[in-house]
Amino acid sequence: MFSTESPSSALLQGLNPEQLAAVTWPPQSALVLAGAGSGKTRVLTTRIAWLLQSSQASVHSIMAVTFTNKAAKEMQTRLGAMIPVNIRAMWLGTFHGLCHRFLRLHHRDAGLPASFQILDSGDQLSLIKRLLKTLNIAEEIIAPRTLQGFINAQKESGLRANAIEAPDPHTRRLIECYAEYDKVCQREGVVDFAELMLRSYELLQNNEMLRRHYQNRFNHILVDEFQDTNKLQYAWLKLMAGGNAAVFAVGDDDQSIYRFRGAHVGNMAALMNEFHISEPVKLEQNYRSVGNILAAANAVIENNDERLGKNLRTDAEAGDKIRFFSAPSDFDEAQFVIEETKSLQREGKSLNETAVLYRSNAQSRVIEQALFRSGLPYKIYGGLRFYERQEIKHALAYLRLAVNPDDDNALLRVINMPPRGIGARTIENLQTASAETGVSLWQAACAAGAKAAKVAAFVRLIENLRTQVGQMPLAEIMSGIVRDSGLVEYYQTQKGDHQDRLDNLDELVNAAIEFKPEDSNFEILPDNISDDPAFPILAFLSNAALESGENQAGAGEKAVQLMTVHAAKGLEFNAVFLTGMEEGRFPSEMSLAERGGLEEERRLMYVAITRAKKRLYITMAQQRMLHGQTQFGIVSRFVEEIPPEVLHYLSVKKTAYDSYGSPRQTAASKDKIIDDYKQPQTYAGFRIGQNIRHAKFGTGVIIDAVDKGESARLTINFGKQGVKELDTKFAKLEEM
């Protein structure tokens, strides 16, 4: 039997009208605005297959650019299943991957040896450290990471050292180092990631013959995640395309969340203008989420002004409403996540399909702790567990030395961290002395201190910590370490965004404040251990070690997925918990101060909402520890932008939990630092720190109150609307 269907109709089967229009677009440039869950990968891949099958292009005349290796592999696999072609011959890969291919082919023109090596980020850092040494520049003057960040940022802007203006002496010094760095790389025949891109761009720009060759070769250039391209990537694409190629760019301006990495959302408008695209093709049919979730996402993103504009729709049912829970504290919030996850598990839902999202990394600690104590396995996607993070391990190494200075590993970790001018040679001498005399590195350092001033200063720092053991509470020792070690100052002065690391160090101090040694999970404690003045510290350190290793799900084991909203981009889950939804946390306080910052945060919120397929929980905490102080939170403006008809407000369970997930005792806490849980005084039925709603001003938090007998005068912070004084007799206030 002959099939009456043409092969192409089989290829186009099952596409909706918008997808079909995009896949079969005539051979001219297009911008496809693909909303979350609208089948973007399918459209891209089917477009390539369609171009090949209808003989509009050959494997040699197509270039497809993705952002991640994972996306490139997925496209290769899908293409191979659709159409019998030699995929290897096609230029399909990431920007860096394709530039690498290009430089291998034309290494001679690029002035590179045939066997040039690629430096990953660690290799690049080592080379920079070596360079600073030869230039005799101490790490205190220019930190290696600062120089690394500077070089990469300049390259991504397409600038060599000779093209940068120096506004001040420090920048001049950085530019000189960058020029030297380029020389060393050239001499050693090595290329860093940013160089792959810049060198390819320069070669295309300067070599007309080569440029013409490629512009004649590729008649179709397809680009994925176009909203994430930076200026250099876009400039490179333009050179490759010339005036002939049809550029088919797929992206979503509402999901552009990498501004901090140089992503330039303006590339979309530039593409439309420079490639004469009058209207974007919009993919607005969503195949991921139920109706209520999409209604929320659409309503939130509508508040951004500079959008190309689209509205997601679905044929799916409205589904469950979004569950909103305002928890009394961050412990209660974490506990709520645990209980709901367990109930999803009982319903037969897989833990792999449950994700907990947060705006900043530090928020994971309280959630990790609750998961650990409940025995639920979890994985942190795209990141490290709290106690495995570099800055946490540094700070804990100081704490280990306070109770046991002979711990060589801990000493080696921090003797020059943050950099205090104790170089590799000095450390080698200490190791030799320790081996020869059979003593620990600490004892060798004490002996060497007489001759070496920098070692002596380190010894004094540790000695000072040792005197505090048993004299001061753990929380105070911990906050002293973070401050006196110089770690905070170090991360504050490093180039690039280290706010995450600073937040994590803050969170470590919170962990020490909340910690109760007697509740720690030790199966068998030695007799009289609690009499040891170092006991709280030992218990805290053991706890940290256990929490970092335990419960980490093994390969193939089902686990709750924890991640920042940034890390969640491109992923989807049946159930999503979006936590910490307070004003100043999400949107983050820092973003509110930057131009365009709030819009970027709102796009991030849009990404967060659209990760959920079936069920979305949004949670907040009315109070949490911040910088060792109790802070009262008010609900994020983004929650207020969600239509109330798609929200289901959950009420607070009456049991309050302590930090260990056990019902909290109402007896007064013996530890003064966390004496925040006394029965709060009420004012006409309201209490300070409570969240309320007002018809005109929206949601606010009560920050002060005066009792007036029959009524009370409340001072309420309404976030965007400012602080108001209202009398309960006249003002209609709803409890939340």
Side-chain angles (χ1 to χ4, degrees):
M1 275 296 291
F2 289 105
S3 163
T4 51
E5 281 192 19
S6 70
S8 67
S9 60
L11 200 60
L12 305 175
Q13 238 170 9
L15 295 174
N16 69 32
E18 300 162 345
Q19 291 173 330
L20 182 68
V23 165
T24 58
W25 197 253
Q28 61 201 51
S29 293
L31 174 64
V32 179
L33 274 191
S38 64
K40 160 175 86 73
T41 313
R42 184 178 181 187
V43 163
L44 258 175
T45 328
T46 316
R47 167 83 175 160
I48 297 174
W50 154 259
L51 288 171
L52 292 168
Q53 203 172 54
S54 56
S55 305
Q56 297 182 59
S58 73
V59 246
H60 298 288
S61 70
I62 292 179
M63 176 161 79
V65 193
T66 63
F67 250 79
T68 59
N69 289 317
K70 184 170 157 235
K73 283 205 177 63
E74 190 179 344
M75 274 178 75
Q76 281 172 337
T77 315
R78 287 197 190 189
L79 260 177
M82 281 180 175
I83 187 167
V85 298
N86 174 10
I87 294 173
R88 297 212 56 85
M90 192 188 295
W91 278 49
L92 185 166
T94 62
F95 275 106
H96 288 122
L98 295 176
C99 285
H100 175 230
R101 187 169 182 171
F102 173 80
L103 289 177
R104 283 274 173 231
L105 285 167
H106 307 290
H107 66 89
R108 202 170 283 109
D109 292 310
L112 287 167
S115 60
F116 71 84
Q117 294 300 304
I118 297 175
L119 296 179
D120 66 16
S121 165
D123 302 330
Q124 185 189 25
L125 195 60
S126 306
L127 187 146
I128 286 173
K129 284 180 175 166
R130 236 179 43 228
L131 171 81
L132 290 169
K133 229 183 215 110
T134 55
L135 294 174
N136 229 343
I137 299 174
E139 293 193 3
E140 291 85 347
I141 299 189
I142 294 179
R145 279 188 192 278
T146 305
L147 182 55
Q148 184 179 27
F150 176 80
I151 293 173
N152 293 343
Q154 301 311 318
K155 289 189 179 185
E156 280 168 11
S157 305
L159 297 172
R160 290 279 178 218
N162 57 10
I164 313 165
E165 300 283 311
D168 54 74
H170 182 65
T171 313
R172 187 172 315 112
R173 213 168 198 166
L174 286 171
I175 297 168
E176 286 163 5
C177 290
Y178 173 18
E180 276 307 309
Y181 168 85
D182 261 356
K183 278 185 200 149
V184 173
C185 289
Q186 191 60 30
R187 190 170 66 237
E188 298 182 8
V190 293
V191 173
D192 60 50
F193 278 143
E195 184 71 20
L196 288 171
M197 211 63 238
L198 180 56
R199 190 74 66 103
S200 305
Y201 170 74
E202 289 172 338
L203 184 52
L204 278 173
Q205 198 177 31
N206 302 330
N207 189 322
E208 191 189 352
M209 217 169 79
L210 215 52
R211 183 167 72 244
R212 284 237 289 277
H213 166 80
Y214 280 99
Q215 290 181 350
N216 291 331
R217 173 181 174 168
F218 296 123
N219 60 2
H220 286 275
I221 296 179
L222 299 94
V223 192
D224 191 11
E225 303 282 11
F226 187 72
Q227 76 280 350
D228 293 335
T229 49
N230 60 30
K231 285 184 172 163
L232 182 61
Q233 288 163 333
Y234 179 53
W236 178 84
L237 279 170
K238 278 200 298 194
L239 284 183
M240 273 288 189
N244 305 326
V247 175
F248 187 87
V250 182
D252 182 358
D253 56 332
D254 291 333
Q255 292 188 71
S256 174
I257 56 175
Y258 289 122
R259 199 169 77 144
F260 65 95
R261 279 195 208 155
H264 187 59
V265 72
N267 285 350
M268 285 192 152
L271 179 87
M272 289 180 67
N273 184 16
E274 290 166 279
F275 286 81
H276 315 296
I277 303 168
S278 54
E279 281 293 310
V281 183
K282 294 182 182 178
L283 304 183
E284 297 176 299
Q285 173 92 8
N286 172 287
Y287 292 95
R288 178 182 296 153
S289 311
V290 294
N292 282 330
I293 291 174
L294 287 190
N298 285 331
V300 168
I301 201 68
E302 243 167 34
N303 292 284
N304 271 0
D305 291 335
E306 291 178 16
R307 296 173 62 223
L308 294 166
K310 59 177 176 349
N311 245 337
L312 293 179
R313 57 171 200 281
T314 177
D315 292 340
E317 71 285 1
D320 290 354
K321 286 190 172 183
I322 296 170
R323 294 159 163 84
F324 175 72
F325 179 65
S326 174
S329 73
D330 46 357
F331 303 127
D332 299 293
E333 180 183 38
Q335 206 52 43
F336 169 79
V337 170
I338 303 292
E339 284 170 15
E340 286 294 323
T341 303
K342 284 185 167 168
S343 120
L344 289 167
Q345 208 181 6
R346 285 196 293 277
E347 288 169 25
K349 307 281 193 298
S350 163
L351 287 180
N352 282 353
E353 281 292 326
T354 304
V356 183
L357 309 187
Y358 32 80
R359 174 66 185 83
S360 83
N361 254 311
Q363 285 162 253
S364 78
R365 188 194 61 86
V366 176
I367 302 163
E368 282 188 62
Q369 179 179 291
L371 283 160
F372 174 70
R373 299 226 160 92
S374 70
L376 282 170
Y378 70 93
K379 265 196 181 113
I380 292 197
Y381 185 91
L384 293 168
R385 302 177 142 219
F386 183 79
Y387 286 108
E388 287 166 353
R389 294 171 189 161
Q390 167 202 356
E391 57 284 10
I392 300 298
K393 289 184 90 155
H394 293 334
L396 290 178
Y398 281 103
L399 192 59
R400 280 162 51 194
L401 290 173
V403 287
N404 173 17
D406 295 325
D407 181 335
D408 283 1
N409 261 339
L411 186 126
L412 282 171
R413 184 175 192 101
V414 292
I415 187 163
N416 200 35
M417 182 64 212
R420 48 175 69 84
I422 299 176
R425 187 156 309 126
T426 310
I427 295 171
E428 273 167 32
N429 294 342
L430 288 177
Q431 286 173 311
T432 311
S434 130
E436 284 174 357
T437 52
V439 298
S440 67
L441 284 174
W442 164 252
Q443 287 165 320
C446 292
K451 291 198 283 290
K454 286 173 174 166
V455 174
F458 174 71
V459 167
R460 275 200 303 281
L461 173 69
I462 303 301
E463 283 292 3
N464 184 32
L465 283 177
R466 292 181 67 194
T467 59
Q468 299 173 8
V469 176
Q471 301 302 310
M472 281 161 77
L474 165 68
E476 280 183 48
I477 295 177
M478 198 70 251
S479 80
I481 285 177
V482 166
R483 185 184 63 240
D484 301 338
S485 64
L487 282 170
V488 166
E489 194 183 355
Y490 171 72
Y491 289 119
Q492 279 169 338
T493 52
Q494 288 283 288
K495 186 108 177 142
D497 185 13
H498 292 283
Q499 192 54 44
D500 259 5
R501 298 201 190 277
L502 292 166
D503 292 348
N504 285 334
L505 287 171
D506 253 353
E507 195 49 53
L508 183 62
V509 174
N510 292 347
I513 292 173
E514 292 151 10
F515 184 69
K516 297 194 191 75
E518 62 277 14
D519 295 351
S520 51
N521 297 8
F522 299 126
E523 305 313 319
I524 313 157
L525 287 175
D527 291 341
N528 309 328
I529 178 102
S530 48
D531 301 340
D532 182 340
F535 172 61
I537 299 180
L538 296 170
F540 184 71
L541 285 167
S542 309
N543 209 57
L546 288 169
E547 269 194 48
S548 75
E550 279 286 301
N551 273 42
Q552 177 73 328
E557 190 190 347
K558 303 232 178 327
V560 181
Q561 310 288 311
L562 265 61
M563 65 199 76
T564 63
V565 180
H566 274 104
K569 188 165 173 282
L571 306 175
E572 54 181 42
F573 304 92
N574 274 328
V576 170
F577 291 89
L578 179 50
T579 62
M581 286 307 300
E582 300 117 48
E583 197 63 17
R585 185 166 286 272
F586 194 2
S588 85
E589 209 154 345
M590 306 245 289
S591 68
L592 298 176
E594 292 170 20
R595 207 167 142 252
L598 180 62
E599 282 75 12
E600 179 97 347
E601 289 287 297
R602 196 172 277 111
R603 291 195 285 273
L604 204 47
M605 177 73 175
Y606 175 79
V607 167
I609 296 173
T610 53
R611 297 312 92 198
K613 293 197 269 192
K614 301 264 182 340
R615 193 175 282 188
L616 176 60
Y617 295 87
I618 295 180
T619 63
M620 65 166 288
Q622 294 163 26
Q623 61 178 57
R624 60 171 83 233
M625 294 289 273
L626 211 65
H627 316 300
Q629 305 285 312
T630 301
Q631 293 239 336
F632 296 107
I634 75 166
V635 67
S636 159
R637 67 185 75 196
F638 297 154
V639 178
E640 300 211 299
E641 291 170 358
I642 296 174
E645 59 272 17
V646 303
L647 284 174
H648 172 56
Y649 292 91
L650 300 174
S651 57
V652 178
K653 299 211 177 56
K654 283 295 171 266
T655 334
Y657 293 92
D658 66 13
S659 58
Y660 289 85
S662 330
R664 190 179 298 128
Q665 306 303 313
T666 44
S669 155
K670 65 176 189 311
D671 191 343
K672 286 311 285 171
I673 304 182
I674 40 173
D675 200 10
D676 288 318
Y677 295 118
K678 293 196 291 284
Q679 284 304 309
Q681 191 181 346
T682 59
Y683 302 86
F686 294 96
R687 56 180 175 70
I688 293 174
Q690 185 179 2
N691 280 23
I692 49 95
R693 185 180 294 269
H694 183 274
K696 181 172 165 202
F697 303 128
T699 306
V701 61
I702 302 172
I703 56 175
D704 200 8
V706 177
D707 208 345
K708 298 177 65 182
E710 305 251 300
S711 67
R713 188 171 77 243
L714 305 178
T715 311
I716 305 170
N717 180 351
F718 287 106
K720 292 176 288 190
Q721 309 292 339
V723 174
K724 315 277 179 205
E725 283 202 357
L726 301 175
D727 194 312
T728 55
K729 199 154 72 189
F730 309 111
K732 282 206 171 33
L733 299 172
E734 270 177 74
E735 289 191 32
M736 280 183 68

